[in-house]
Amino acid sequence: MSTATISTNLTKRRLREFAGAFMRNRQAVIGLSLLTFILLVAILAPVLAPYDPYALIGNLLEAPSKAHPMGTDNLGRDVLSRVIYGTRVSLLIGTIAAALSGILGTSIGATAGFFGGKTDAILSEVIDIVLMIPTFFLILIVVALMGSNMLNVMVVIGLTSWPGNARLMRSQALSLRTRTFVQAARATGESEWRILFRYIIPNGIFPVVSNTTMQVATAILTEASLSFLGLGDPNLVSWGQMIFNGRTYISSAWWVAAFPGIAIVITVAAFYMIGDGLNKVLNPKLRS
Amino acid sequence: MGEKQNLLSLEDVCIGYETPTGTVRAVVNATLSLSAGDTLGIVGESGSGKSTLAHGILRLLPKTAVVTGRMMFQDVDLLRCDAKTLKDLRWKDIAVVFQKSMNSLSPVHKVGEQIVDIYRVHVPQATKEEVYDRMRHLLSVVNLPDRVLDLYPHQLSGGMLQRISISLSLIHQPKLVIFDEATTALDVVTQGQVLSEIRRLQSEMHVTSILITHDVSVVAETCRRVAVMYAGHLMEVGPVDQVLVSPRHPYTQGLLASFPSLSGARRRLRGIPGTLPDLKAEPKGCVFAPRCPKAFDRCHESMPPAVDTGTGCTVKCHLEGSER
Amino acid sequence: MGRYLGKRSLTGLLTVIVVLVLNFFLIHLAPGDPITILAGMDNPSQELIDITKAKYGLDKPIYVQLWTYIKTLLKGDLGHSIIQARPVSQLIMERLGNTLLLTLTSAVLALVIGTALGIAASRKPGSALDNVLSLIAYVLYSMPGFWLGLMLILLFSSTLRLFPTSGMVDARASYTGIAYVLDVLKHMVLPVGTLTLIGIPGYFRITKASLAQVLKDDYNTLFLAAGMDEKKIFRKYCFRNAILPTITTFGMRLAYVIAGSATVEIVFAWPGMGRLVMSAINTRDYPLLMGVYLVTSVSVAVWMILVDIFYAIADPRIRYS
């Protein structure tokens, strides 16, 4: 059997075991069901939303009724339609920011752990430093200075949240590089970079995956906070902005702020549950 | 025997673990007795049930374990006594030395503090000085200075911690000490030292002890009697100078053959071919039959009962009393 | 241990330098003239431009500018807020106490309540209590603090009329002495409650996880074999072993007391750092915004190092390695 086959078989076997254990984990299953629902809402938004989310169609601050199940906001827009369309923005920002963080963290961590020595010393220091910089404020300043559009928000969240992933990937790479199939691959003359991408990263990626899933949740919360501070992209329908608009009317028209908040809680909880489930399944120490 | 009062006697002790896929029969019909001053070694491969048996005597088994039979310690049935009686017995009458002494103390408390707490379970009003005084003597027996009491566990080596555990087990002068693989984790040199210290304790302080180990030579060095365990069964029980010199059970013979000769003469080491049977399945015949070189028809039909050979040994083998 | 602390301190120092450099380049990379950012005005007068240019050496090469910028900051000069016509450091000092009152109170409350609930849930894993608490922890963990604050206002102020919605004191009354303290306490209930509720799940989860780990440790068996009470083993040994991760988390959370509650403060119109940040954003008061950021990140770096030192002293395993 070639080294590549051993490595692939290892990955395949782990994937299969893992899928089984994952489906037996209650949190994971609840999280996954919630996420499926949320994804359907995002995809079917134009079908599900009763009105155009931007259209000023009703009376201002109209209480929930048959025509507007979640009422209308301060400009007379349908809250339900806006909550439905907001799903798209939250998912987009959350997943792209987390994916960016996952890719950055994986490559930096794997490089540090796999090559070791000076490379590791320098990269680890960089990881430690970025880990210590308070991110929310940095994101806030960058968005305030560079302008509040969705791209800036996603990129800055991604650029500041990778160190956690890098740490996880680094420790995986550290232990994987001494494994027999890596040694064997090296003996057959495969290049270091090839070993890194074919053996180290595929076999050590699992903890990063669960952490990245949790980061989708964190990114959604960060975007909501930015929007709540008035730094959201004004051209989008975002839950954070809806709460920002609704906070002035909290005593007279609670529905404007309440419903988008519930949407945030459900979406964020779904990602946390999946991430937690992945973590429990992947970390035998936490399994009971 | 007979005249002497038994300190511990086990009658038909069975221990099973309930698992989702069935019951694991870890110990089956174990019958054994130990008189005061005796030293018994229980030897067997890992997974043979020897540690389960020891933990059963200590009542430290997990809740999934089902224990039946009788375990008499003096006049108390360990399996049926109430929590208060059990608590009074623990450490005062029955103490234990575990295998992993590295982890058997809390890492964030000083050694002395933990020992004082253990001592105070039975002597609540004891002062720190009293306990330290007692420990000072016990530590000197195992060649340790008493300053180890003011250190944290991770500042000590495995051998030192094992010696501390041994002195700690003697702090209330218990009637019985169980050494559960107490020297297994140590390097050869330290193991030798610790064993000679255990021997000294046995002779000087008349400690009755049970030594659980997978190493026959350890038993040969420290025990007067030995029980050989395989797949939950006590295959052969008797004095060391009989069982280890002229073993009657084929398993004991195989086990001895797989260790270097005790007298030092070099022989070719022979392992026993095959592996331990699945403890979940109810075996039809003798548990050792699939690996036994001397197995015959009857061995595949029924488990042999324990037979007294008349020389102070009991053996579970169909060869006994059949053609002999 | 000396080596370890030396290494950590170096990381802390490097972090401070990185933050300063980052700030400098943000000013230069941002669209628009750095002068308008440093001066804190969109259309500064010629006089102001000259003063700013001279102060930060803006006509000199970039590395000289960087050095001048860092030197100015190291002197404690965080710049000048043109809009508020005051030094930034002074504005921050004024608000800091109010913010700490909120954040420290809720940090301690969250620690105590979260840990206690974690212990309660760990006593019987899988019980109804454990399941209910875990579910609540999930929900709170997923909740934006500002939204929870709004909901509490809706419930306790608008509907039940129990607590004031905003501010730190009743502006219409001018209380003194005990009455003043009581008034502040009344205003604190909802913001502190929000921050505490948001903080609880973290401690709950950490306590549960580390207790689950610690209860499996081998010394439990030894103490049990020695006849020790399970309660005593738990209280003295398991607790002490399990509490270290909680203490670390608490220490790390304390690093964020300065700016971590910004959005919640805004909801309750609390006169703290959050309001300062909000007004800085609304008026594009960049010197103020960057000043707050610098103070926050430097204090986080310094605090993290202090936590490491404390942890090294508290855990003998680190102390002697």
Side-chain angles (χ1 to χ4, degrees):
Chain A
M1 223 188 313
S2 80
T3 351
T5 335
I6 295 173
S7 167
T8 324
N9 284 349
L10 189 74
T11 317
K12 262 192 197 155
R13 202 185 65 223
R14 279 174 70 181
L15 265 178
R16 224 186 355 257
E17 277 172 13
F18 160 80
F22 186 78
M23 292 319 284
R24 279 192 299 276
N25 184 297
R26 196 174 37 160
Q27 287 154 335
V29 174
I30 298 175
L32 209 56
S33 327
L34 280 177
L35 182 61
T36 315
F37 169 72
I38 296 162
L39 275 174
L40 283 176
V41 171
I43 294 165
L44 302 175
V47 185
L48 292 172
Y51 304 96
D52 177 350
Y54 299 98
L56 317 175
I57 35 86
N59 298 323
L60 309 187
L61 300 174
E62 203 179 304
S65 63
K66 264 224 172 88
H68 302 285
M70 292 186 183
T72 60
D73 70 2
N74 52 322
L75 295 176
R77 295 173 294 197
D78 180 55
V79 175
L80 173 63
S81 306
R82 291 178 69 77
V83 166
I84 290 174
Y85 271 92
T87 314
R88 294 182 156 190
V89 172
S90 282
L91 285 184
L92 195 67
I93 290 181
T95 42
I96 292 189
L100 187 60
S101 150
I103 293 168
L104 269 175
T106 304
S107 17
I108 294 173
T111 310
F114 179 62
F115 291 107
K118 268 222 173 79
T119 318
D120 184 27
I122 293 168
L123 288 178
S124 290
E125 196 62 40
V126 172
I127 295 171
D128 278 355
I129 289 172
V130 182
L131 211 52
M132 253 204 257
I133 297 177
T135 48
F136 182 66
F137 251 73
L138 183 61
I139 297 169
L140 195 150
I141 289 189
V142 172
V143 174
L145 281 173
M146 309 280 179
S148 28
N149 60 62
M150 189 165 69
L151 188 71
N152 277 351
V153 174
M154 290 187 302
V155 171
V156 185
I157 294 178
L159 284 179
T160 49
S161 55
W162 56 267
N165 283 331
R167 270 200 171 176
L168 288 171
M169 191 66 220
R170 177 179 170 269
S171 66
Q172 287 284 316
L174 269 178
S175 79
L176 281 170
R177 70 171 178 180
T178 55
R179 293 281 288 275
T180 329
F181 62 84
V182 175
Q183 310 272 351
R186 192 169 279 148
T188 56
E190 292 197 46
S191 81
E192 295 289 292
W193 286 102
R194 205 178 135 80
I195 294 174
L196 182 63
F197 282 103
R198 280 211 57 185
Y199 302 98
I200 303 285
I201 292 179
N203 283 300
I205 197 84
F206 296 96
V208 179
V209 171
S210 78
N211 194 50
T212 305
T213 313
M214 301 243 200
Q215 281 184 336
V216 177
T218 320
I220 292 174
L221 283 177
T222 307
E223 188 278 329
S225 298
L226 283 176
S227 297
F228 183 73
L229 290 170
L231 289 172
D233 189 332
N235 304 316
L236 294 172
V237 186
S238 129
W239 292 332
Q241 278 181 61
M242 294 171 73
I243 301 174
F244 173 64
N245 290 332
R247 105 189 142 98
T248 328
Y249 315 101
I250 190 66
S251 304
S252 51
W254 55 269
W255 51 88
V256 184
F259 290 113
I262 294 170
I264 293 179
V265 172
I266 294 173
T267 312
V268 170
F271 282 102
Y272 274 144
M273 283 181 166
I274 296 171
D276 240 12
L278 285 171
N279 220 348
K280 273 198 187 127
V281 173
L282 296 170
N283 188 350
K285 268 195 206 153
L286 294 175
R287 250 185 274 172
S288 49
Chain B
M1 296 215 229
E3 300 129 53
K4 250 190 183 170
Q5 165 78 51
N6 277 342
L7 183 66
L8 176 76
S9 61
L10 310 184
E11 283 166 45
D12 280 328
V13 172
C14 295
I15 304 175
Y17 291 111
E18 299 289 351
T19 71
T21 48
T23 307
V24 176
R25 295 144 49 91
V27 175
V28 187
N29 296 336
T31 299
L32 195 68
S33 64
L34 191 68
S35 50
D38 219 347
T39 50
L40 171 75
I42 301 180
V43 67
E45 298 165 64
S46 50
S48 61
K50 53 192 193 307
S51 263
T52 300
L53 185 59
H55 282 243
I57 297 170
L58 294 158
R59 287 273 304 265
L60 286 176
L61 294 168
K63 288 192 180 74
T64 50
V66 182
V67 192
T68 58
R70 264 156 67 91
M71 268 189 203
M72 298 301 291
F73 181 80
Q74 295 177 307
D75 47 1
V76 179
D77 188 342
L78 292 174
L79 291 182
R80 283 161 197 88
C81 68
D82 55 52
K84 166 104 180 45
T85 318
L86 184 70
K87 215 190 130 194
D88 287 345
L89 276 175
R90 281 179 165 168
W91 224 254
K92 218 168 157 188
D93 289 315
I94 306 177
V96 59
V97 179
F98 290 110
Q99 171 181 5
K100 287 179 271 173
S101 286
M102 304 286 200
N103 307 323
S104 68
L105 289 171
S106 159
V108 294
H109 294 81
K110 284 184 181 164
V111 172
E113 188 186 352
Q114 306 188 45
I115 292 177
V116 170
D117 270 348
I118 288 177
Y119 191 77
R120 281 188 186 149
V121 170
H122 293 299
V123 193
Q125 70 282 5
T127 62
K128 188 181 160 188
E129 283 68 38
E130 282 170 49
V131 184
Y132 271 42
D133 268 348
R134 278 199 65 78
M135 277 308 285
R136 200 162 290 140
H137 168 67
L138 291 168
L139 287 170
S140 71
V141 180
V142 292
N143 302 317
L144 277 183
D146 58 342
R147 65 175 184 86
V148 297
L149 296 175
D150 290 318
L151 298 176
Y152 289 95
H154 62 90
Q155 294 172 274
L156 300 162
S157 70
M160 288 162 110
L161 285 168
Q162 203 62 52
R163 289 185 170 98
I164 291 174
S165 292
I166 291 170
S167 353
L168 175 60
S169 72
L170 300 169
I171 199 162
H172 285 301
Q173 292 181 295
K175 300 197 173 83
L176 172 66
V177 180
I178 297 175
F179 295 91
D180 183 7
E181 298 270 15
T183 58
T184 305
L186 304 176
D187 62 87
V188 189
V189 178
T190 320
Q191 179 174 350
Q193 289 166 351
V194 172
L195 281 177
S196 74
E197 282 150 11
I198 293 178
R199 264 203 310 276
R200 235 172 91 202
L201 292 169
Q202 287 166 341
S203 59
E204 285 175 18
M205 302 179 70
H206 307 288
V207 181
T208 313
S209 53
I210 297 178
L211 214 122
I212 315 279
T213 179
H214 64 273
D215 188 341
V216 182
S217 60
V218 168
V219 175
E221 274 183 65
T222 48
C223 300
R224 271 202 294 276
R225 292 178 65 226
V226 61
V228 180
M229 210 164 173
Y230 178 79
H233 287 270
L234 292 172
M235 292 306 220
E236 187 165 8
V237 184
V240 164
D241 48 21
Q242 286 193 32
V243 175
L244 298 189
V245 175
S246 48
R248 304 182 70 130
H249 198 289
Y251 176 67
T252 317
Q253 290 161 4
L255 191 69
L256 287 175
S258 58
F259 275 90
S261 165
L262 300 170
S263 55
R266 288 197 168 269
R267 265 187 298 157
R268 205 167 63 86
L269 296 185
R270 271 190 296 140
I272 308 169
T275 51
L276 272 174
D278 178 11
L279 297 175
K280 273 178 200 155
E282 177 95 35
K284 210 171 146 250
C286 172
V287 281
F288 187 55
R291 295 170 76 184
C292 185
K294 297 178 184 169
F296 56 102
D297 295 350
R298 235 167 89 202
C299 299
H300 298 289
E301 280 155 20
S302 64
M303 181 70 208
V307 179
D308 197 329
T309 60
T311 51
C313 297
T314 53
V315 180
K316 276 189 188 175
C317 181
H318 283 307
L319 287 170
E320 287 302 321
S322 56
E323 87 274 39
R324 266 179 230 226
Chain C
M1 147 140 149
R3 231 190 86 118
Y4 169 74
L5 292 183
K7 197 188 163 296
R8 291 303 291 161
S9 306
L10 185 70
T11 307
L13 188 71
L14 282 173
T15 309
V16 172
I17 293 172
V18 167
V19 166
L20 295 180
V21 174
L22 201 63
N23 247 311
F24 175 80
F25 281 107
L26 277 178
I27 294 168
H28 285 264
L29 285 175
D33 196 341
I35 291 179
T36 62
I37 294 172
L38 285 166
M41 260 181 123
D42 278 344
N43 295 305
S45 64
Q46 190 56 46
E47 192 192 3
L48 189 58
I49 291 177
D50 293 340
I51 294 172
T52 314
K53 258 190 181 166
K55 183 175 169 187
Y56 293 101
L58 291 183
D59 39 8
K60 306 225 170 66
I62 192 117
Y63 58 91
V64 181
Q65 287 184 37
L66 174 63
W67 180 236
T68 320
Y69 180 72
I70 291 178
K71 259 201 320 211
T72 318
L73 290 174
L74 289 179
K75 272 187 265 171
D77 181 357
L78 296 175
H80 202 86
S81 164
I82 299 296
I83 286 131
Q84 309 229 22
R86 308 256 303 279
V88 168
S89 50
Q90 209 180 346
L91 285 167
I92 292 176
M93 289 313 287
E94 266 175 23
R95 304 297 186 95
L96 196 57
N98 293 346
T99 288
L100 290 180
L101 183 64
L102 276 194
T103 48
L104 290 180
T105 315
S106 55
V108 173
L109 283 176
L111 168 74
V112 173
I113 300 171
T115 308
L117 292 178
I119 292 173
S122 301
R123 278 295 169 89
K124 276 189 189 148
S127 64
L129 179 75
D130 182 17
N131 286 336
V132 169
L133 287 179
S134 300
L135 181 71
I136 295 175
Y138 259 119
V139 174
L140 285 178
Y141 205 59
S142 313
M143 216 173 257
F146 55 88
W147 183 75
L148 177 61
L150 284 173
M151 293 303 114
L152 290 185
I153 289 178
L154 180 63
L155 183 63
F156 290 101
S157 305
S158 309
T159 314
L160 299 172
R161 308 216 167 268
L162 283 176
F163 300 107
T165 49
S166 65
M168 197 166 114
V169 285
D170 191 340
R172 283 161 302 179
S174 45
Y175 295 115
T176 49
I178 304 265
Y180 174 79
V181 173
L182 285 176
D183 191 36
V184 172
L185 281 178
K186 216 165 81 182
H187 281 82
M188 271 173 73
V189 173
L190 289 186
V192 166
T194 307
L195 290 170
T196 306
L197 284 171
I198 293 296
I200 283 175
Y203 294 110
F204 175 78
R205 290 158 63 102
I206 288 212
T207 307
K208 253 188 77 172
S210 61
L211 266 180
Q213 198 84 39
V214 159
L215 285 171
K216 281 187 227 146
D217 281 350
D218 286 337
Y219 52 81
N220 287 293
T221 322
L222 176 78
F223 291 135
L224 218 53
M228 204 183 283
D229 235 24
E230 269 181 76
K231 275 195 188 120
K232 158 112 190 183
I233 301 175
F234 185 87
R235 271 204 309 265
K236 178 157 183 185
Y237 291 98
C238 297
F239 186 72
R240 174 88 177 269
N241 274 287
I243 204 72
L244 280 170
T246 311
I247 301 281
T248 324
T249 310
F250 180 69
M252 304 234 257
R253 292 262 186 101
L254 282 188
Y256 299 95
V257 290
I258 295 181
S261 60
T263 53
V264 173
E265 283 182 25
I266 289 163
V267 170
F268 291 98
W270 188 264
M273 301 287 282
R275 275 263 298 272
L276 199 62
V277 169
M278 187 71 168
S279 66
I281 292 172
N282 288 340
T283 56
R284 304 276 150 189
D285 190 344
Y286 294 118
L288 183 53
L289 207 52
M290 306 209 109
V292 174
Y293 177 57
L294 278 173
V295 169
T296 318
S297 39
V298 171
S299 65
V300 167
V302 172
W303 185 257
M304 289 291 195
I305 303 305
L306 289 178
V307 170
D308 276 347
I309 294 173
F310 168 81
Y311 196 59
I313 294 168
D315 190 339
R317 281 168 294 191
I318 297 180
R319 201 190 315 163
Y320 291 99
S321 59

